[in-house]
Amino acid sequence: MIEFKKIEENDFEMLYKWLNKDHVSKYFSHNTDSSFEEVCKKYRTRMLEEKMSMNLIIYNNLEIGYIQSYDCDYLDSFDLSESAIGVDLYTGEESYIHKGYGTKVLKEYITSILSKQSHNWVVIDPDEDNVAAIKSYTKVGFRHVKTSLCPGCGKHNNYYMVLSRQDFFGKN
């Protein structure tokens, strides 16, 4: 059973641990070593701003990862002119990677957010080298629109992917 739990301050230590694992930092935090204090500040600020829905991924009562969604404000990166929800996620626990959980989690999460939102698009932008994530997102129904340099870091290319509400509910 997959559930999502809004993060709380007592979850910051786990987020810090996950963000510093090689399989997460390679793609999610882009090899930036963040101190525990920096992680706390970042997520505490996001909690106060309330612009992002930040959740732990719970699978069979175990916390296995993190997923967030937000109103995307860089639509041109996805060749969209209509509003969209952006999603980011990672599996923090190594025993759950490369086993199909990401696809299941993302399907469940998108079903949840699209049932509460009026947006017609969901977008995601993994690192172009994150082949496993791209395969997972493709299974969910995302399609590639372009690849270009990450505007936030300028160090790697993002693989911009979009999913329409119509395609998602038609496929799942």
Side-chain angles (χ1 to χ4, degrees):
M1 182 162 126
I2 299 169
E3 299 174 274
F4 305 102
K5 177 186 141 265
K6 191 172 186 141
I7 67 163
E8 300 170 351
E9 287 205 29
N10 62 353
D11 299 316
F12 292 171
E13 191 170 330
M14 184 169 28
L15 294 177
Y16 170 74
K17 178 184 84 169
W18 287 341
L19 287 167
N20 284 286
K21 289 188 174 190
D22 290 340
H23 74 278
V24 175
S25 67
K26 182 176 182 180
Y27 299 117
F28 198 80
S29 54
H30 307 295
N31 294 318
T32 55
D33 294 322
S34 296
S35 69
F36 178 68
E37 292 75 24
E38 290 169 323
V39 168
C40 290
K41 181 180 177 185
K42 176 181 178 178
Y43 287 94
R44 192 173 291 120
T45 299
R46 287 180 175 180
M47 287 171 79
L48 293 172
E49 290 174 346
E50 296 182 346
K51 292 181 182 178
M52 193 173 281
S53 176
M54 302 178 297
N55 302 277
L56 292 178
I57 301 165
I58 314 291
Y59 183 75
N60 287 339
N61 297 317
L62 294 169
E63 297 164 336
I64 66 165
Y66 173 81
I67 192 163
Q68 64 187 24
S69 60
Y70 53 91
D71 285 334
C72 181
D73 61 1
Y74 54 107
L75 296 171
D76 56 328
S77 294
F78 298 94
D79 293 338
L80 291 176
S81 57
E82 195 177 339
S83 66
I85 298 170
V87 176
D88 301 303
L89 71 153
Y90 62 80
T91 302
E93 296 299 323
E94 291 99 334
S95 59
Y96 289 87
I97 61 175
H98 306 300
K99 295 184 178 165
Y101 293 105
T103 302
K104 293 175 189 172
V105 164
L106 192 52
K107 282 181 180 180
E108 187 76 26
Y109 192 72
I110 290 172
T111 299
S112 171
I113 60 175
L114 287 180
S115 70
K116 299 173 193 167
Q117 302 275 343
S118 61
H119 294 79
N120 288 319
W121 294 95
V122 180
V123 297
I124 200 160
D125 56 356
D127 184 303
E128 74 172 339
D129 295 330
N130 194 345
V131 176
I134 292 168
K135 281 183 180 179
S136 174
Y137 306 159
T138 301
K139 287 178 187 174
V140 173
F142 283 90
R143 66 177 172 79
H144 177 247
V145 291
K146 70 180 176 184
T147 303
S148 64
L149 192 63
C150 173
C153 73
K155 296 179 183 177
H156 64 89
N157 285 327
N158 282 352
Y159 194 84
Y160 294 96
M161 303 178 81
V162 299
L163 173 62
S164 74
R165 172 188 290 272
Q166 182 177 349
D167 287 344
F168 178 72
F169 286 115
K171 183 176 180 170
N172 294 296

